Amino acid sequence: MPSETKTNNTPHAFPEPSPETKAHSDQLKSFIQNKIKASGGKISFADYMNLALYAPGLGYYSAGLKKFGKQGDFITAPEISPLFSQCLALQCIQIMKQTQQQVLLEIGAGSGIMAIELILELEKQAQLPEQYLILELSADLRERQQQAIQNRIPHLSERFLWLDRLPDKPFNGIIIANELLDAMPVHLLKLKADNVFERYVSVDGNGQFIWLDSAPENTRLQKIANEIKSLHQEYAHLNDEPEASYTTEVNLQAIDWIKTIAELLGSGAILLVDYGYTAQEYYHPQRSMGTLMCHYQHHRHDDPFYLPGLQDITAHVNFSSIARAATESGLSVCGFTTQAHFLMSGGLVELTKDLDPDDVLRFSEVARQIKMLTLPEEMGELFKVILLAKDKPLSLAAFQFKDFQNRL
Ligand SMILES: C[S@@+](CC[C@H](N)C(=O)[O-])C[C@H]1O[C@@H](n2cnc3c(N)ncnc32)[C@H](O)[C@@H]1O
């Protein structure tokens, strides 16, 4: 996601898509419009986002456009530097030793770059896992991952296995994911002083997507809206009209996903990296426009109806809700820290100690990568890492310097 991204709220000034890509977007638009018609005139924003990102063969992640890196729409930590995946590998070794589990499962593996760099580091440390499983929702990305692994590390390719769905329970192993939760569809809530609305998506007479606000049909959303409202009472001194019109997101899918994972995990751990906040920060009254964001060719904006299928749509993660779902379903939270602290305590210094400062080009390139991963104004503070475990608490070096669990 966001680093290197320019913020711009006027999509009309963005680069025009080619006629073929525009036709692709139009096709997805009609597909979603038909779904809206078939559902009686409106769908939840979560359903819209799900179709825009994952409609088979058409959605942003399901179709063949390049998404990650310079030629794509956004850049993720493993695409920025192998150091990110190498640090994760060092922490996975500690988990493997403490849990005695030798299987890794990566969920939402993108281009496959994290899997490649991570397993190469495990090989270097003589700690190869028995298997590296990948579960990827997008058939197109799954194919790209398979090709990348075959091209870069053919000697390790037999250790990889792609799953079509989550493994049967009990799964014993280590589950890892970078920027998975932010790519899950969210519901949108609009809070007013005396009312709560859910934001639905409809179509106007000209065939354009429009917002339709009405009472949430899902009782879980109503309950969460009440929790947000009571949180706002605590901040009442900050704002005369804290609930004038407050839009925010709720990621029910992430909560359900954590519960499912907790159920299927026999012995092992879950290590998740993503951008987001604790509930206190997420639902702060001054964040009145929520965190929903779109990325189109490295431009960041807030119009999810712009060129469906050609842009990423994402929302920050509420890590308190992840921790709560985890503990309610029998997992323990063993660490929560920023990406910067995780990397700095988790091996970054060791991994770069042999860098030759006289090799100016290489040295300055690695310094640039480290800055992007760790500086507070880049990815260092916004991105967080959470460690969840099943049968016994784990202790990792990466959380030893700073662990912010008490803020969750
Ligand atoms: C923002 S991308 C991150 C990709 C990669 N992890 C990285 O850091 O570059 C989100 C990835 O998660 C996948 N994804 C989203 N929801 C998923 C789910 N429920 N199960 C498996 N993969 C999923 C998407 O297809 C995509 O590969």
Side-chain angles (χ1 to χ4, degrees):
M1 103 106 207
S3 30
E4 286 196 341
T5 323
K6 306 159 203 110
T7 302
N8 189 332
N9 288 323
T10 53
H12 310 289
F14 294 169
E16 278 293 314
S18 68
E20 297 77 42
T21 47
K22 174 75 172 59
H24 171 95
S25 175
D26 288 343
Q27 210 186 336
L28 176 59
K29 201 168 162 182
S30 332
F31 182 77
I32 300 175
Q33 285 169 347
N34 288 336
K35 290 274 179 196
I36 292 175
K37 272 186 211 139
S39 309
K42 71 176 192 324
I43 55 175
S44 70
F45 181 74
D47 286 341
Y48 171 85
M49 183 167 163
N50 190 40
L51 292 167
L53 297 183
Y54 303 109
L58 290 173
Y60 176 73
Y61 283 109
S62 317
L65 287 177
K66 181 133 178 41
K67 299 156 239 314
F68 312 102
K70 285 209 171 92
Q71 285 108 48
D73 301 290
F74 58 93
I75 190 152
T76 61
E79 304 279 342
I80 289 171
S81 173
L83 288 165
F84 175 82
S85 312
Q86 290 162 1
C87 283
L88 276 187
L90 298 180
Q91 298 311 301
C92 284
I93 293 174
Q94 294 187 23
I95 304 177
M96 283 153 89
K97 286 190 176 147
Q98 289 175 45
T99 60
Q100 309 297 320
Q101 299 306 333
Q102 297 294 322
V103 175
L104 293 182
L105 165 58
E106 183 180 349
I107 307 203
S111 69
I113 186 81
M114 185 167 110
I116 292 170
E117 300 294 353
L118 199 151
I119 204 166
L120 279 173
E121 185 62 27
L122 293 178
E123 183 183 42
K124 193 169 150 205
Q125 303 285 339
Q127 298 286 345
L128 274 173
E130 275 164 22
Q131 259 195 329
Y132 195 115
L133 308 172
I134 295 183
L135 176 61
E136 172 54 63
L137 206 56
S138 153
D140 172 65
L141 285 175
R142 175 179 169 145
E143 215 170 280
R144 286 175 195 232
Q145 292 155 13
Q146 288 168 339
Q147 270 171 16
I149 285 164
Q150 201 51 53
N151 292 342
R152 280 263 329 261
I153 45 169
H155 67 295
L156 294 173
S157 61
E158 83 284 356
R159 284 181 200 258
F160 284 86
L161 182 70
W162 278 261
L163 305 180
D164 294 324
R165 54 185 170 82
L166 283 169
D168 293 334
K169 78 185 205 194
F171 170 75
N172 299 322
I174 303 157
I175 297 175
I176 50 175
N178 183 58
E179 292 207 29
L180 168 71
L181 303 175
D182 74 72
M184 290 185 177
V186 292
H187 287 83
L188 295 187
L189 285 176
K190 192 164 181 178
L191 310 184
K192 293 202 170 167
D194 47 7
N195 238 330
V196 171
F197 299 98
E198 178 173 353
R199 306 215 82 186
Y200 292 87
V201 180
S202 187
V203 186
D204 72 8
N206 299 320
Q208 301 303 318
F209 294 123
I210 49 166
W211 295 107
L212 196 84
D213 297 339
S214 70
E217 284 162 13
N218 187 327
T219 50
R220 289 170 74 193
L221 285 178
Q222 184 68 54
K223 192 166 165 258
I224 292 171
N226 293 340
E227 286 174 11
I228 299 169
K229 282 195 162 201
S230 51
L231 194 64
H232 284 187
Q233 301 302 323
E234 293 171 26
Y235 289 107
H237 62 287
L238 289 180
N239 196 333
D240 291 342
E241 283 186 288
E243 296 171 76
S245 174
Y246 183 88
T247 302
T248 192
E249 310 84 31
V250 178
N251 194 337
L252 295 180
Q253 187 171 320
I255 294 171
D256 294 343
W257 185 83
I258 290 286
K259 291 187 172 166
T260 306
I261 294 285
E263 249 175 56
L264 71 84
L265 195 64
S267 161
I270 306 162
L271 193 58
L272 304 171
V273 188
D274 224 310
Y275 44 98
Y277 308 111
T278 63
Q280 293 273 341
E281 299 164 290
Y282 200 99
Y283 294 127
H284 193 286
Q286 285 166 350
R287 200 181 302 288
S288 61
M289 301 297 286
T291 69
L292 194 77
M293 255 189 327
C294 306
H295 295 107
Y296 175 68
Q297 299 190 8
H298 293 271
H299 292 271
R300 189 166 69 190
H301 69 96
D302 59 8
D303 181 2
F305 301 152
Y306 180 67
L307 293 177
L310 304 189
Q311 65 166 357
D312 188 26
I313 308 174
T314 162
H316 288 39
V317 175
N318 171 0
F319 279 98
S320 301
S321 73
I322 298 301
R324 184 157 122 185
T327 49
E328 282 174 2
S329 28
L331 297 172
S332 45
V333 179
C334 304
F336 174 64
T337 194
T338 64
Q339 178 169 296
H341 285 120
F342 180 87
L343 297 177
M344 297 306 274
S345 325
L348 194 61
V349 180
E350 272 294 291
L351 286 164
T352 49
K353 75 176 185 325
D354 294 331
L355 257 187
D356 177 5
D358 293 331
D359 183 350
V360 177
L361 280 183
R362 168 106 187 103
F363 194 84
S364 56
E365 171 53 20
V366 175
R368 186 192 68 82
Q369 295 172 3
I370 293 176
K371 281 184 191 165
M372 282 190 74
L373 293 175
T374 61
L375 284 183
E377 64 273 27
E378 299 281 354
M379 302 172 101
E381 249 174 36
L382 178 60
F383 282 71
K384 311 289 190 310
V385 189
I386 193 166
L387 174 67
L388 311 169
K390 188 61 178 264
D391 43 4
K392 59 173 183 179
L394 304 174
S395 166
L396 298 193
F399 295 100
Q400 266 159 22
F401 181 55
K402 286 269 184 220
D403 191 334
F404 298 110
Q405 274 184 68
N406 59 348
R407 298 187 186 169
L408 283 165

